[in-house]
Structures are given as structure tokens and as C-alpha cells.
Amino acid sequence: MTTEITLTPAEKLWAIECIKNTFAERLRCMDCKEWEIYPTLHTDDVVSETWGGLPANKQPVSDGVSNRVVGPGPLTAAIKRLLDGHIPITSVHHGHTPQIELTSNTTARGIWAMEDHLWWTNGDHEEHLHGYGHYHEEYRLVGDKWLISYRTLVRLREDKTPDFFNLIGKL
Amino acid sequence: MTTEITLTPAEKLWAIECIKNTFAERLRCMDCKEWEIYPTLHTDDVVSETWGGLPANKQPVSDGVSNRVVGPGPLTAAIKRLLDGHIPITSVHHGHTPQIELTSNTTARGIWAMEDHLWWTNGDHEEHLHGYGHYHEEYRLVGDKWLISYRTLVRLREDKTPDFFNLIGKL
Amino acid sequence: MTTEITLTPAEKLWAIECIKNTFAERLRCMDCKEWEIYPTLHTDDVVSETWGGLPANKQPVSDGVSNRVVGPGPLTAAIKRLLDGHIPITSVHHGHTPQIELTSNTTARGIWAMEDHLWWTNGDHEEHLHGYGHYHEEYRLVGDKWLISYRTLVRLREDKTPDFFNLIGKL
């Protein structure tokens, strides 16, 4: 549902630029492993449904039903456990060509093309996942900062070494 | 030729954001195979000259002379035939760092860095093309929507499996 | 240090869009080898510290101490010597999800995710480098044009063929 937007064109553009910055900061602090920043980019009630790419029953954190992770604390813990636990993972997440649409003065949704890489060392060889898809997100203005309130990931393609997801059993 | 631009800075920025959205939507609906959207992003007289990367005489659609495809219907048909015919192709197109320049209140041109992947299954193995280059486009405001009126693609590099273009004979 | 910013929201957004354009133009003219444009995108006192990814003592240009290159002329010469000398290199540089922050009416800083590819032919085979990281840059308004005044590159990952850096000895 879209409610009336009373912002000027410049205010709308500023909101969109702020949203792009929040998105950029999330990817950057995930790949740079700056976990103290990660939760501050999400609303208190953030819902992430991006774990669907994992094999059945291998979700590092879920509610046991739906691959949903709720709240900035659990979300940060889940991603930190995957990327920065006792198996070090190098990750690269890139986001492209955002389509950001304000749905009110204080809410928005966005679609981003994405590409990601994950690498980890499995004994004498390296495991690698290389994926492509789109993030579908929602945003909310909290105070003077645009935060991410929802995220899902729809994948177009995922290439990986055969034992890549052995990782999950080692976390 | 550049005619006088009387838009305010905010109006110019809004036009540029709208053009970026139209570009984003085109790539997204191409890779997600939403063919009903594809033609609506182009002007009635759109000209696409992006088929030059194909080997001689292997263009799926051309005017027999110049690799040009004219009009949103023929353009959609040509791309749908290539990507979503009886040989299923998974595609990923990413666009980067747009340089959008208004040439009048209602026309613009833009350059985008691009990277694309195409995959198809050829019997017992997979064929893959991975390309890099720049899109050079033109845009026109039609009603309240910025549409693509011209596109060419200048490639920097193209890596592909030896039989990738056997695809064309199978379309 | 951040000094007072008196620009309107539209003026700030226009500055940010101009900075994104300058960044885009630098990557494009590097990969398209338009060396006459390259120096015009940098301030007279530009400092580049992006050579740290090279093996020790293999910097094509440095001050012998710190991998710094100072000034648009020496910077263009260093990059041209690497990418467009008598060993032809095909390069692709992509920049993503800019976070641009104005630090005064005429200065700014920015972080960009990046990915680069370099290829060259070494006798009977091809050498390839594929890297990932973040550019950290600074910008300054000179006349009516935003120019790059500082750049460093922090890499997340670099994959390369074993003899890739034999290139340096051949320059």
C-alpha cells in the first residue's frame, strides 16, 4: 500500500541517496567484517529471508520453520557465525542498479541486482560459491536514518564446488 | 546537438534517477524473463545495435545489413528468441557507474559499464559466455516516463566455450 | 575535519552525482585507454596509493619509499605504462555502491566497492589477475568540476595466474 508522499523532488532524491548508502554500508561491513556496524543498519523488527539458498536443514540460524531471521541482533549473529566463525570465509558482495521506490514519506522498497562470492579453505583445497540474483528489500526512516526493515534474495544462479556446504557442519 | 535545458537541479537529478530506473528495469526483466515489461521500456522508434558480438551471419534477427533491430516489438522478440526459446538460457546482465547527460529537457544519453553471463546446456556439458564492455544509450521522455531510444554495446572482452554459438543454429 | 556545509539538498545531490560521474569516467577511460582524459579527472596534487597490491620492488612507479604516486602526469604515466605499454593488457575495472560524503562545500570523500580484471598474453598462454576490494577516495571542486584528489585501494582478495607479475619485468 502506498500512502501520500508530500516530499519535494529534492527530498525524495535525498531519501533515495540515503537508502543507497545504507545498502552500500551493509555490504561493505559484511565483507570487511565490521560486525558492530551491521545491526545499526537494520530496524528493530527487521526480517531477513535470505537463507533459502542453503541446503535443507543446513540453515545456520532459523526459526525452524521458514528460514526467517528476525531482529538486528539475531541477524548479525547469524551472518557473523557464517562468515567470521572458526572457519574463516572471504566474502565479496556486490549490488547493482537499484530501483528504489518511496511508498510513503518514511517507507520505501528497493530491488538490487547482486553477485556474491564466498571462499573457504577445506583442508588442502579451496571451496568457492559464486552466486547471482536480486535482493528485494524494504526500508523505513527511523529518526534521521533510513534503515533496512526487510530483505529477501531471489537467486538466478549459484555455482559452487561440490563440498562447499560442508562448511555448515563445521560452524 | 544539445538544446537549452531549463530544468532546475532537482528536476535534472530526478530525470537522471528515472533513467537509471528504466535501465535497471530492462536488465532485470531480461534476466527474469518478464517479456511483457521489456517493450514498455523502449520508445516506438528504438534502435538497438547490440548484436554485433555475434559471429557473422548468426544474428537471430537483423535487417540483413547492419545488425540493427528497430522497434520495441521486434527487439523484444529477438531477445526473447535468444534467451527464452526452446533452448533455455540463464542470463545475468549487470550495469555499472552510469554517466547520464541530459541533452535537452526531454532527451539524454548515457554510458554504462556492463558485464554479462549466458549459460546453456549442450547435451552433456554446459556452454558459457562471459562478456565485458560498455552500453552507449539514448533516452527520451515520453509522457511522464523516460524510455530507451537507442542502444549499442562496445565490448572490451568476451570469453566463451568453443561451441557456445552453436546455440544460434538451434534457435 | 568537516567544515560547515551551506549547500541546499539539491546542490549536495548534484555534487554527489558529479563525483560519481568523475569516478565513472576514470574507470572507463582507463579500460578504453583514453589517456588524454585520464589526467584531467585528478587535481594537480592528487596522491594515489593503489600500487600496494604489487609484489615488493615491482612497483612500476614509486617514490622508492611508499608506493605513492603524486600528480596527474606521473599517475597517468604509471597507469599507461602498466596497461598500455609494449605488453598489451586488456583491463576491466568496475565500481559499485558508492558512499559519497561531502566534508565541506568543495570537498568530499567516498568509498566504492571494486572488482578488476587484467589479462595479458605470455608466450603461448594467457595470464590473468582478478581482484576485489574497496577504493577509498577524496574529491575537490576545482572551478566547476569535481576532481579526484586522493585514492587508495584496500583489497579483499586477489586471484592470479602464477606468472602474472612477470609482466612487471617486461615493462
Side-chain angles (χ1 to χ4, degrees), chain B residues 7-25:
Chain B
L7 303 175
T8 66
E11 288 171 333
K12 286 193 285 187
L13 287 161
W14 189 257
I16 290 169
E17 185 66 17
C18 290
I19 289 167
K20 291 177 182 176
N21 262 276
T22 297
F23 178 93
E25 182 77 353

Side-chain angles (χ1 to χ4, degrees), chain A residues 124-144:
Chain A
D124 62 355
H125 70 286
E126 191 171 59
E127 306 287 355
H128 182 209
L129 179 148
H130 186 185
Y132 312 85
H134 293 90
Y135 284 121
H136 295 250
E137 295 193 326
E138 294 173 11
Y139 310 94
R140 200 162 71 232
L141 183 64
V142 178
D144 62 354

Side-chain angles (χ1 to χ4, degrees), chain A residues 132 157 159, chain B residues 58 82-83 87-92 116-131 159-170:
Chain A
Y132 312 85
R157 165 113 182 166
D159 294 313
Chain B
K58 290 202 171 176
L82 180 65
L83 295 183
I87 305 281
I89 289 194
T90 299
S91 68
V92 172
D116 62 346
H117 290 274
L118 303 175
W119 296 269
W120 64 281
T121 302
N122 189 3
D124 61 355
H125 70 285
E126 191 170 59
E127 306 287 353
H128 181 209
L129 178 148
H130 186 185
D159 293 314
K160 54 185 180 290
T161 50
D163 293 334
F164 181 83
F165 279 119
N166 287 3
L167 170 72
I168 305 295
K170 297 174 188 287

